Every structure is written in structure tokens, then in C-alpha cells.
Amino acid sequence: MTVDIDEGKKAEGQPSFVAQLQATLNVIPAHTWYASPSGGLTFVNKRTADYLGLPKDHPLRFGIDVGAQWDAHLPFVHPDDREETQENWSTRLRTGEGGEGSFRVRNAQGGYRWFLSRAEPLRSSDGTILQWVGVNLDIDELKCAEKGLRESEAKIRRLVDANIIGIVIWDFDGRIIEANDAFLRMVDYDREDLVAGRIRWTELTPAEWRARDEHAVTELRSSGTFQPFEKEYFRKDGSRVPVLIGLATFEAGGNQGVAFVLDLTERKCAEQALRESEHKLRQIIDTIPAHVVRYRPDGVADFMNQTFSEFVGPGVGFDNLRSVVHPEDYPKRSRDWDTHVAAAEPYDIEMRLRRADGVYRWHRSRRVPLRDANGAIVNWYGAGHDIDDQKRAEEAYREALLELAHANRVATMGQLTASITHEVRQPITAAVTYALAARRWLSAEPPNFHEVDDALSLIVKEGNRAGEVVGRIRALIKKAPARKDAVDINEAILEVIALTRTEAANNSVSVRTQLAEDLPRVQGDRVQLQQVLLNLIINAIEAMRDVGEKERELLISTRHEPDGVSVEVRDSGPGFAPAALERVFEAFYTTKPGGLGLGLSICRSIIEAHDGRLWASPNVPRGAIFGFTAPAHPGEAS
Ligand code: ADP
């Protein structure tokens, strides 16, 4: 730029050249300035002065040359940009040529903005530099946008190069213009194939996915993006790879776009494996011969296996599952279940459930809670099975046992005929004797009515005794259902001893008792307990037939135990070999020529049904001890 400076000077009354320059620079909508030929900043326009926050009387606002150094303006520039700016400015001054550079300038608040600064020398007609004039354009927003773009470009580049997912640039004509290694690996093509244009997305897509692709194309053309979806691609060798693909065009209405592609092979395999194992598990759960039900933490069922849903039949679901419980069992069972759910305790129940055909069947079900790591209940699991047949078998077994016990009792009583006859005959004989005596007192002169009265009382007493004996024998022979009474065990023992007295005497066996006083009454069936005693006493008497007559001793004792009583029957017979100790309780084990071998096995089942224990042990110095326990009746104070 050259000006004729003399012209300005000549025009009298006209504003000076400098004043005109300043006025012009002030109205330009940019930051402007000028500097002396040696580079010292002399003037900045109002816009710049305000930006820099210069005081109102600052010489730079008026263009008063205070002889500033060529680089005196550098403190306004960002420290990081100073070196470059200084170099650039010194080049301008050395060469005298205009040029530009960009740097950040500090504003009044201490913040910085980017400026593109262009400086030109203003020369006189002889070429001498009169001034340097400059314009600074605020390019801060542009710079930021550029920076953002560069950053996001770098991020995208990293994503592409990292090859974590497949990235493809495509066009609507079916071309794949660019693809990263991850994508090429997925479809098993080389970069050469890509460069030669041999990979086309239209051809990578199997026929059944084409319709989907067409839909995507329509959507992309109208909205520019398409929601990720699953599809398959052909690999180079014709095999298929399952992928997840997301699509977007670069610009609205453009022909090109980008796609990200994820290989789903592993996920598909895992899904398949999971499906298979679920299927297998389901098959197992459905075919195990048990009814499996799952309950929510609140105790309501939310799953049942096929076995069980077939049992309850159609029309029964989780909402009305409780309706299959037998009305008699329902109130208690459901109350118990609710209590167990509240207490989070395993639950064991027996109840009747209605089968699809309307028949109620006994079931046994056990339910246990499954907890998470914190102990909270996730679900309850119940396994149940039909025990109806078993229940019936148990019932039949109990019946049979009762029959057998009865038969055994009758048979034992048969063995005791002599003893029983004696027991009955004794009071009758006595009564007859008293009757004869009464008759004598009656026929005396005068008749002695006092003695007659005494005799008659004794006859009544003996008659009652005979009646009692017969009553006890009847009770033992009668077949009656088992009872749960409070039984005085000592009294029951004494009665059995009475029945076997003659048998013992005939076999020269001396019988002794050691019966504890203040025993609690035991809970059970008197007749059955007496049957056990009868068996043990007769066995003992029979065993002692093999030893010398003087040594045959039978001792029956009772003892108070913590939770009931124990009874022991000791003999001085030959005892048994250790090996026979447990065998004696087996059914049909006998060492007697006419024995059945059922007595002790029946005794054991009777005692076990009484919640007691029956055992055998050797006696000292010889013989056998048979003992049993029986729990006290709940009503008895211990
Ligand atoms: P059975 O009396 O018909 O043989 P049990 O079941 O009552 O049937 O007894 C089985 C076997 O146990 C007897 O045959 C005998 O060998 C043995 N046994 C039972 N009681 C005694 C005893 N007090 N001393 C020795 N052996 C005994």
C-alpha cells in the first residue's frame, strides 16, 4: 500500500492523514492497529483498546508515538504463542513484506481468544515504510470448532483402528468403500479384495435378509439412521456369520454412510448352549418322578413341572393351586405353610391332593428356601411325591401286624392253658369250700348266721377274683385296636406274673420282682405291653429248662428313666452266643423244635410302635437279659 503523504499535509483545514487513518480504522468491524516502521505498536482502534481493557487515556488509543520497542506488544499475546509471534513479526520487519499469523490475545478479563492477524507495510511513493497497518480477525469460534472436529476425528480413527468392532463405509449402490480389519476378519476377506472393489454389501447378504436391508435403505434415505438389528453375512467361503449392525448416512440425502458391525458368533453359541442346557434341565425336571413346584418368597407358586401339572390337570394354575388340597387337610396345612414361610424354615408335609380325575391321593412334600448371598430368600423349592400306595401298604402292614400279634397272643395263651386253668380254678375251688362251710354253719343248732355271713362275703370275693382273671384273659385273647392309655406298668407286670405263676412253678423257676415305686404311667396299649412281658417270661422259663433245677431264677425289675420307664427280664438260662444277639429279633429265627421264631420280632415291633426300644444282652454270671423302655404318658409328672 502506498500513499501520497504530501497531499495530506498540503490540504489546509482538512483532518491530517493520521487522523483520517485513525477514524477509518475505528469504523472497521475488526481489530485494527498500526505500528511504527521499526515495529513499535503506536495505535489500536477502539474495539481493540476496549478488548485489551486499556485505560481511557492510554497513548495507544490516540496514536501518540511513545517510541515503543518492536516487540512491546508481546505481553498481550498468550505465553505459548509468543515465540512464534515474535519470530513472525521480526520476519515482517526484516523483509518488509506483509504476512499473517494466528495467536491468542488476552482480554480485559484475563481470558484469551484466537485471532488471525494480517499486517501490511504502508509505504510512501519512494517505497519507504511509513507505518505497519494490521487487522486482527477474531477466529476463536472457528478454532474451537476445528479443535472439536480434530478431536472427534481422532476418536473415530481410534475406534476404527482399534478393530474392536467392524466399521464400514458404504454407499447405496452396494459398494463397500472402506472397512477396518475387524470387519474384514469377520467376513474373511483381504484388504486386496476391498481395494479391488470385490466386497459388496448387497452380495454379502443372504437372500432372507434382503427384505430387511431394503427396509433399512428406505429408512436411511428418509431419516439418515437405522436402529441396530441382527442379521447374517456370508463369509468369503460361503459360511455365515451372525452380526449386529447399526447404520447411518454421512449427511442428509447423501449417498454414503457408515456402519458398525459386531460379530455375534460367540454370543449366539452361548445362547444356544444356554438354550440347550435349559432344555435339558427342563426335561430332567419334567421327567423326574416327583412333583416339583417353585414358590415365590411370599409362598405363592410360580412354577410346576409337567409331572405335577398333569397330576392336577388342566384348569388348575398358580392362582388356584391351593384348591387341590383336601378340604380336611387344607386349614392346618395352609396355616403351617404360612407360618413356615414367615419363619423361613424348611417345610415337610403330608396331605391329600386332588388328582385330575377327582380322586384324592396322599402326598408328601418337602419345601426348602433358596437364599442369595445375603441370606434373603429368592425362591422356595418343593419336591413332592404320591405316597398313597405306600400309605395303603403301611395301613395293610399295621393291620397284618395286629393280626399277627393277636395270633401270637392266642398261641402264647394256649401254652399257658395249665396256668390259666389253675388261675381260674383257684378262686372257684375256694368259693366252693366257703359254700360248703356256710352250709355247715346253717345246719348247726342253732345256725350260726354270723359265720354264714362271713362265708358268703368270701364267696363273693372269690367270685369277683375269678371274674377278674377271666376278664384279663379275655382282654389278652380278644382282638381289639391298639389304644393309647396311661398304663401302670408294675400292675401290668404283676398280672402277667399271676398268669404265668403255675407255668413257672411247674418248671421249678423261682420268680422275683424288683419294682420301682412312684413310676410314671407309660403311654400305650396295656394288652400289647402285657403280650411283650408274656413272651419274654415264657422264653425265659423255656430257656431255663436246660439248666439244673436249683439254678432257675427269673428276676423282673422296673426302673424310672429320664423320659419314662425301663423293664428288664433276667434269667439264669444258657444265654446266647454273641452272634445270636441280634438274630433273635429276626422273624422266623428259632432254636426250638416247635418254635415259630416270631415272638421277639413281634415284641420289637410292638415296643417300637410305642416309641420305645427292645434289646437283649448277656446276664452275669450266665443267662439272658431282655429289656425295653417305654415313654411316660404326656399327662404324667416326671
Ligand atoms: P421262638 O420262641 O418261637 O423261638 P422267639 O422270637 O420268641 O421265637 O425267640 C427266638 C429265639 O431267641 C429262640 O428260639 C431262642 O433261640 C432265642 N431266645 C429267646 N429268648 C431267650 C432267652 N431268654 N435265653 C436264650 N435264648 C433265647
Side-chain angles (χ1 to χ4, degrees):
M1 192 185 331
T2 39
V3 291
D4 187 350
I5 194 162
D6 300 334
E7 206 174 303
K9 272 183 183 164
K10 274 185 268 173
E12 282 299 315
Q14 292 287 314
S16 71
F17 163 72
V18 170
Q20 276 182 25
L21 182 61
Q22 284 183 0
T24 312
L25 293 183
N26 270 333
V27 296
I28 291 176
H31 291 247
T32 54
W33 50 270
Y34 61 78
S36 67
S38 59
L41 188 62
T42 315
F43 172 80
V44 297
N45 69 352
K46 186 173 179 326
R47 190 182 294 269
T48 308
D50 291 348
Y51 175 86
L52 296 173
L54 299 183
K56 291 285 175 234
D57 56 353
H58 197 280
L60 278 176
R61 283 184 182 268
F62 306 101
I64 301 163
D65 191 349
V66 293
Q69 289 291 311
W70 70 277
D71 56 358
H73 62 282
L74 282 178
F76 294 126
V77 174
H78 191 286
D80 291 352
D81 302 336
R82 276 179 204 162
E83 199 182 318
E84 195 188 319
T85 309
Q86 190 180 30
E87 244 168 58
N88 194 349
W89 190 225
S90 101
T91 309
R92 297 281 81 71
L93 298 178
R94 198 177 62 248
T95 60
E97 277 169 15
E100 62 183 38
S102 52
F103 46 79
R104 283 158 287 183
V105 180
R106 197 181 61 222
N107 63 18
Q109 290 74 39
Y112 287 90
R113 292 183 71 82
W114 278 98
F115 287 87
L116 174 69
S117 176
R118 171 125 209 121
E120 281 293 337
L122 183 69
R123 295 175 190 273
S124 69
S125 36
D126 64 0
T128 329
I129 293 178
L130 296 172
Q131 235 141 13
W132 284 91
V133 183
V135 178
N136 289 3
L137 286 174
D138 186 329
I139 55 162
D140 201 68
E141 261 142 48
L142 196 68
K143 272 274 183 190
C144 283
E146 247 176 40
K147 187 167 165 253
L149 197 63
R150 262 202 314 279
E151 276 170 8
S152 72
E153 250 176 24
K155 278 182 198 156
I156 292 169
R157 196 69 247 167
R158 254 198 72 66
L159 190 65
V160 172
D161 293 344
N163 286 310
I164 298 161
I165 57 171
I167 291 178
V168 168
I169 294 172
W170 48 266
D171 67 16
F172 281 120
D173 307 322
R175 271 191 292 266
I176 288 187
I177 298 148
E178 184 54 86
N180 66 351
D181 290 343
F183 179 78
L184 293 174
R185 264 201 307 274
M186 244 178 258
V187 289
D188 221 2
Y189 279 91
D190 302 332
R191 196 151 282 283
E192 259 175 51
D193 296 317
L194 177 77
V195 175
R198 281 194 289 271
I199 318 180
R200 295 180 61 82
W201 58 263
T202 41
E203 281 156 31
L204 286 179
T205 304
E208 67 267 34
W209 295 102
R210 299 236 166 101
R212 187 66 195 246
D213 274 11
E214 276 161 30
H215 176 59
V217 165
T218 322
E219 187 77 22
L220 280 164
R221 283 201 196 274
S222 69
S223 76
T225 58
F226 192 72
Q227 282 304 304
F229 65 103
E230 287 182 17
K231 63 176 280 184
E232 284 175 321
Y233 277 136
F234 281 129
R235 292 198 191 89
K236 195 174 183 177
D237 64 4
S239 63
R240 292 173 177 218
V241 54
V243 295
L244 177 76
I245 176 165
L247 296 157
T249 52
F250 283 131
E251 64 210 86
N255 191 41
Q256 286 191 359
V258 66
F260 75 80
V261 188
L262 274 176
D263 186 338
L264 296 183
T265 313
E266 265 175 40
R267 209 191 77 190
K268 291 274 168 195
C269 286
E271 274 175 8
Q272 179 68 14
L274 193 65
R275 263 201 302 280
E276 273 167 22
S277 79
E278 262 174 11
H279 180 68
K280 263 189 217 142
L281 196 63
R282 180 78 218 204
Q283 269 184 330
I284 292 171
I285 290 173
D286 280 343
T287 49
I288 50 170
H291 296 163
V292 176
V293 183
R294 187 182 60 197
Y295 306 85
R296 299 192 315 230
D298 64 3
V300 175
D302 67 355
F303 168 85
M304 55 175 127
N305 67 348
Q306 202 183 325
T307 335
F308 191 49
S309 66
E310 278 166 11
F311 176 88
V312 294
V316 175
F318 302 123
D319 45 342
N320 60 349
L321 193 55
R322 285 181 173 207
S323 71
V324 303
V325 181
H326 193 286
E328 278 173 23
D329 300 338
Y330 182 76
K332 185 178 183 312
R333 301 302 166 205
S334 95
R335 206 170 40 243
D336 287 358
W337 174 224
D338 292 344
T339 320
H340 277 78
V341 167
E345 279 168 0
Y347 184 52
D348 220 334
I349 39 164
E350 280 185 14
M351 60 185 163
R352 282 162 289 177
L353 298 181
R354 196 183 56 235
R355 199 167 54 187
D357 60 4
V359 174
Y360 281 97
R361 311 256 315 161
W362 276 101
H363 264 73
R364 175 162 187 187
S365 152
R366 192 173 158 71
R367 303 175 188 173
V368 287
L370 176 78
R371 294 164 188 279
D372 66 14
N374 301 323
I377 293 182
V378 180
N379 276 123
W380 287 82
Y381 283 90
H385 45 268
D386 188 319
I387 53 162
D388 209 71
D389 295 340
Q390 188 189 330
K391 273 257 176 192
R392 271 174 224 285
E394 274 171 21
E395 195 65 35
Y397 178 70
R398 264 197 303 277
E399 279 287 320
L401 218 56
L402 214 61
E403 287 286 347
L404 198 61
H406 178 245
N408 166 267
R409 230 153 47 221
V410 174
T412 315
M413 297 296 276
Q415 276 176 280
L416 291 174
T417 319
S419 190
I420 290 167
T421 312
H422 180 78
E423 280 295 306
V424 180
R425 191 187 283 150
Q426 228 183 16
I428 294 172
T429 311
V432 170
T433 312
Y434 293 131
L436 290 174
R439 230 162 108 183
R440 273 203 310 278
W441 293 117
L442 265 181
S443 52
E445 266 316 318
N448 188 337
F449 291 112
H450 186 71
E451 291 290 350
V452 171
D453 189 49
D454 277 357
L456 286 176
S457 300
L458 288 167
I459 289 169
V460 171
K461 197 177 147 216
E462 293 301 329
N464 282 343
R465 207 180 114 197
E468 274 168 31
V469 173
V470 172
R472 284 202 292 273
I473 292 162
R474 255 195 83 220
L476 279 169
I477 289 174
K478 210 172 85 183
K479 192 188 154 216
R483 304 167 56 111
K484 272 194 175 175
D485 293 327
V487 180
D488 180 332
I489 198 78
N490 285 347
E491 204 180 278
I493 289 170
L494 290 172
E495 280 181 18
V496 175
I497 291 176
L499 274 182
T500 50
R501 192 162 32 214
T502 313
E503 185 73 11
N506 290 347
N507 284 281
S508 315
V509 173
S510 71
V511 180
R512 282 194 306 127
T513 54
Q514 268 175 16
L515 304 180
E517 286 172 13
D518 298 333
L519 283 184
R521 287 185 296 172
V522 301
Q523 162 153 293
D525 185 281
R526 183 189 177 91
V527 169
Q528 287 188 355
L529 291 172
Q530 285 188 323
Q531 173 174 1
V532 172
L533 288 159
L534 210 54
N535 269 311
L536 299 183
I537 290 169
I538 290 175
N539 272 351
I541 293 171
E542 283 179 346
M544 287 187 285
R545 283 184 190 149
D546 298 338
V547 298
E549 289 195 0
K550 292 220 175 66
E551 296 142 22
R552 298 178 188 170
E553 283 175 2
L554 181 64
L555 172 64
I556 301 163
S557 58
T558 53
R559 217 177 27 234
H560 196 162
E561 299 292 340
D563 51 358
V565 301
S566 65
V567 178
E568 280 183 348
V569 177
R570 295 160 186 259
D571 67 55
S572 54
F576 22 62
L581 251 182
E582 268 307 308
R583 293 209 60 195
V584 294
F585 295 105
E586 285 172 15
F588 307 115
Y589 173 81
T590 180
T591 55
K592 298 169 194 167
L596 267 177
L598 285 176
L600 288 176
S601 88
I602 290 170
C603 288
R604 185 165 257 185
S605 60
I606 288 175
I607 293 300
E608 282 173 359
H610 279 73
D611 292 328
R613 212 165 57 80
L614 171 68
W615 69 91
S617 61
N619 195 7
V620 199
R622 63 168 190 284
I625 305 175
F626 281 87
F628 67 86
T629 55
H633 191 271
E636 295 289 295
S638 64

